[in-house]
Amino acid sequence: MASVARTVTSGPGPVRRAGTAVARAAQRSSGAVVRRVRRHTHAGGAGESGLAKLIELHAVNSAGDMLITIALASTIFFSVPTGEARGRVALYLLVTMAPFALLAPVIGPLLDRVPHGRRAAMAVSMLVRAILAWTMASVVATAGLELYPAALGVLVASKAYGVVRSAVVPRLLPARTTLVKANSRVTLAGLLATAAAAPIGGLLHLLGPGAPLYGAFVVFACGTLLSFSLPHKVDSAKGEARAELTAGAGATSLDKEDRRPGRPRRPGLGSVGGPVLYALQANAALRALSGFLTLFLAFLLRDHPLGGLSGPVSLGVAAVSAGVGNAFGTALGSWLKDRGPERIIMFAMIGALTTTCVAAARYGLLTIALVAAGAGVAQALSKLSLDAMIQRDVPEEVRTSAFARSETALQLAWVIGGAVGIVLPLNGTLGMSVAAFMVAVGFTFSVRGLVSASRRRATRPRTV
């Protein structure tokens, strides 16, 4: 490499000029890519409102999480036989997911108490993951017990970031931009960053099992600094109050003193009515489906590949299908922003239920790809629609708190679905039947309320 550099710089004139031209072309190309990316992130007033900074920060967050996922999956799952891998993942769930199931309901209320420090909270979540990634890099090769508490810390910090991000978005909305469109842009940036980080993580893993974690350390360190570039209005809590996901009709949603002196009133979301809670139930079912498919298919396709393919290729087909479906659903959600979110959620549930039933009836490579893509589309559309309903129905004073509580509930649903996936026998037809049952339960509990809400708003002007 050094000899080539000397040849370029000190060799004959044509060679030197060619090297200079290549360097200038690379510089112009990289600069053009950066300018093009910034042009997209700053479009639609996002640059002026500060949303562009959040989009870029979320891309960094997603890239770092992907690098950690690759390192853990390679050690816990791919590097050992299937039986041992299932035991390791079960241990991972026990040591990380079980405590997280207890911590998740606390994350939202805890973050409600630091409304003036959201930038600091996001920076701390990045810094914690940077430190833990560096710590895990030295022990990931042996997958010792000390790896799992660190993985739990990474999981909690990642979910805490997600909760704060959901609460921050309403503060950074550009003029004439709906919340569903803003969330669509943020989510799509994260998906693109994840897709870009995956092959980089694979290449780093070739250098050693800890290399992706050192890469994650660098990414999260940059994210820590980038968190403080968000506008100061992110830390403003003017007009806000805490909220709880309660169903009491007529209860107030403001965390302010009652009209009677010395009598504080308990905050809640009862004043928004049932549609938001029905939408949350539907989203919880789809998030549980996502957790179930992630873990169940990971073991099933590794042990029983489909279509004559190898295990890793079968897993790749399912993963790519889910990623494409999620990206398509996110883009579609922005296009459907003027449609009734209740109807979008219902059609998303019907689509997920149909694909899982088809996969249960005719289990195979094509139907597994279909169910993975369908779950991705349904989850993206329903989450964007839930965000739109919170924007429309929840009073501004409790809106950011509502996002925090709903995100926590959805993450807990993923944990429950993943736990079912890890304990279920590795039978494709049985698994897809269980997946269809999950969606059917959510559909049954939510469809009546969503239909009623959609009919009530049919004669009103659309505001979402």
Side-chain angles (χ1 to χ4, degrees), residues 48-357:
E48 292 77 9
S49 71
L51 181 64
K53 294 290 186 180
L54 183 61
I55 293 174
E56 294 166 359
L57 177 63
H58 187 62
V60 171
N61 173 82
S62 300
D65 278 345
M66 173 52 67
L67 292 177
I68 290 182
T69 299
I70 289 174
L72 292 178
S74 300
T75 301
I76 297 175
F77 183 74
F78 287 107
S79 62
V80 294
T82 301
E84 186 178 346
R86 198 167 190 183
R88 285 191 178 188
V89 174
L91 179 62
Y92 177 84
L93 284 178
L94 180 63
V95 179
T96 60
M97 295 297 188
F100 176 73
L102 300 177
L103 291 173
V106 182
I107 294 177
L110 180 63
L111 293 173
D112 276 342
R113 300 182 182 276
V114 289
H116 297 284
R118 293 189 181 115
R119 293 189 304 166
M122 299 176 89
V124 168
S125 74
M126 296 282 185
L127 181 60
V128 167
R129 280 178 285 173
I131 295 173
L132 291 175
W134 185 277
T135 302
M136 289 190 296
S138 59
V139 299
V140 69
T142 59
L145 289 178
E146 61 269 26
L147 176 68
Y148 298 98
L152 171 62
V154 169
L155 180 65
V156 172
S158 178
K159 302 316 177 187
Y161 162 84
V163 169
V164 178
R165 176 186 64 82
S166 296
V168 162
V169 172
R171 289 282 173 183
L172 301 178
L173 278 181
R176 299 181 301 278
T177 299
T178 62
L179 187 61
V180 64
K181 186 172 184 178
N183 274 286
S184 176
R185 293 180 64 182
V186 174
T187 304
L188 189 58
L191 292 174
L192 294 176
T194 297
I200 295 175
L203 292 175
L204 288 175
H205 187 264
L206 296 178
L207 302 177
L213 292 169
Y214 288 122
F217 168 81
V218 174
V219 171
F220 285 126
C222 295
T224 302
L225 300 177
L226 190 59
S227 298
F228 290 105
S229 69
L230 294 173
H232 289 280
K233 61 184 176 182
V234 164
D235 289 333
S236 173
K238 183 178 179 181
E240 293 183 6
R242 287 180 294 161
E244 294 183 357
L245 294 176
T246 59
T252 182
S253 60
L254 303 184
D255 186 18
K256 298 181 180 179
E257 290 187 355
D258 191 12
R259 290 186 177 90
R260 288 170 290 181
R263 187 75 181 276
R265 180 172 292 181
R266 185 178 178 82
L269 289 182
S271 61
V272 306
V276 170
L277 296 178
Y278 291 128
L280 182 59
Q281 290 172 355
N283 273 265
L286 292 174
R287 190 64 67 92
L289 173 67
S290 174
F292 173 80
L293 292 177
T294 298
L295 294 182
F296 180 75
L297 290 181
F299 286 109
L300 177 66
L301 297 183
R302 178 184 178 178
D303 207 31
H304 305 286
L306 296 172
L309 304 176
S310 63
V313 174
S314 298
L315 282 171
V317 170
V320 170
S321 299
V324 171
N326 206 330
F328 178 74
T330 301
L332 185 61
S334 179
W335 179 69
L336 293 173
K337 63 182 183 296
D338 293 327
R339 275 64 177 178
E342 297 93 345
R343 298 179 62 186
I344 294 175
I345 293 175
M346 286 188 294
F347 283 117
M349 293 284 287
I350 292 172
L353 183 59
T354 301
T355 56
T356 50
C357 287

Side-chain angles (χ1 to χ4, degrees), residues 278 281-282 346 350 442-452:
Y278 291 128
Q281 290 172 355
M346 286 188 294
I350 292 172
F443 184 77
T444 301
F445 278 98
S446 61
V447 63
R448 184 174 179 180
L450 292 174
V451 169
S452 299

